[in-house]
Amino acid sequence: MKRLHQKFGFTLIELLVTLAIIGVFCVILTQLICLENHLAEESQAMLCIQNEERYVSEFLFETLYGVENIQVEEEATSLPLSAFNFSYEENQCPILGFKGEKLLRFVQEDSQLQIWEMYRGIPQIKKAIAYHVVDANCKIIPGEYGSDKPVLHITLQFEAGHTQKSYELLFAMRNLS
């Protein structure tokens, strides 16, 4: 006996179910790719912040190692880093390679931390040392930590993308009393 009707193809319901399943897989795949991109951006931002932290701490250590005088423009417990002027009279500042009387100021503009060489109150040289600093504060702690030398406490707030991190540095000022 012959069959008069043969089934060639799919029904509409089978096609709709297949498309729905493929759509669910596409949505899940898209969400996974977005999550992976977000995690990659966050890890890249954290890596950027860590590199800047390392560079800034080394730069500040090398720069502040030979400071012989600190002038503070205001009176408060915690001030912006730009309120402090660091001067060298006879020592050499190793990172900047000069000897003699110089006055330096660290200034935070937008998200850049810059070092300025001052001459008669006017900045002569401006150099960016970090590009993701949104806040830079400093305070002098007199004679703590078992020493008669003051300690400089610098707090930097880094921000890259949506990643933020606070970083604190303590410097014993060896040439100050």
Side-chain angles (χ1 to χ4, degrees):
M1 214 192 245
K2 274 187 170 178
R3 283 184 100 177
L4 296 176
H5 298 286
Q6 292 183 354
K7 190 174 182 183
F8 295 104
F10 301 103
T11 65
L12 182 59
I13 293 180
E14 290 172 337
L15 288 174
L16 289 175
V17 168
T18 304
L19 287 175
I21 292 172
I22 291 173
V24 168
F25 284 133
C26 287
V27 167
I28 291 172
L29 184 62
T30 304
Q31 292 297 321
L32 288 175
I33 291 172
C34 288
L35 179 64
E36 181 183 347
N37 285 343
H38 180 68
L39 292 175
E41 287 173 1
E42 282 186 6
S43 64
Q44 183 68 26
M46 186 57 76
L47 182 64
C48 180
I49 288 173
Q50 289 172 346
N51 286 339
E52 279 195 7
E53 283 176 354
R54 188 176 324 112
Y55 178 75
V56 168
S57 64
E58 290 173 4
F59 188 91
L60 288 173
F61 175 76
E62 291 290 329
T63 304
L64 299 178
Y65 185 74
V67 167
E68 294 176 343
N69 190 18
I70 298 177
Q71 302 160 352
V72 183
E73 294 182 0
E74 304 170 31
E75 291 294 325
T77 55
S78 183
L79 296 168
L81 190 55
S82 58
F84 293 81
N85 292 323
F86 303 97
S87 61
Y88 304 82
E89 294 163 8
E90 295 185 20
N91 283 339
Q92 181 172 348
C93 177
I95 198 84
L96 298 176
F98 57 70
K99 190 170 182 135
E101 187 176 335
K102 295 287 179 182
L103 184 70
L104 295 178
R105 180 181 296 166
F106 293 93
V107 178
Q108 189 250 324
E109 285 187 348
D110 297 326
S111 63
Q112 281 191 4
L113 182 62
Q114 299 177 350
I115 184 169
W116 292 4
E117 182 182 327
M118 306 295 288
Y119 180 71
R120 295 186 181 171
I122 301 170
Q124 299 297 311
I125 298 173
K126 295 181 180 182
K127 178 184 176 189
I129 60 173
Y131 296 96
H132 297 96
V133 176
V134 292
D135 193 22
N137 292 313
C138 187
K139 64 181 170 181
I140 296 178
I141 305 170
E144 286 192 16
Y145 302 103
S147 171
D148 60 339
K149 302 291 182 187
V151 172
L152 196 63
H153 181 215
I154 299 175
T155 305
L156 302 173
Q157 183 72 30
F158 289 90
E159 182 178 329
H162 297 292
T163 305
Q164 293 183 350
K165 187 174 181 193
S166 183
Y167 189 64
E168 295 186 15
L169 300 160
L170 292 173
F171 293 102
M173 304 307 291
R174 67 178 185 94
N175 292 332
L176 300 179
S177 55

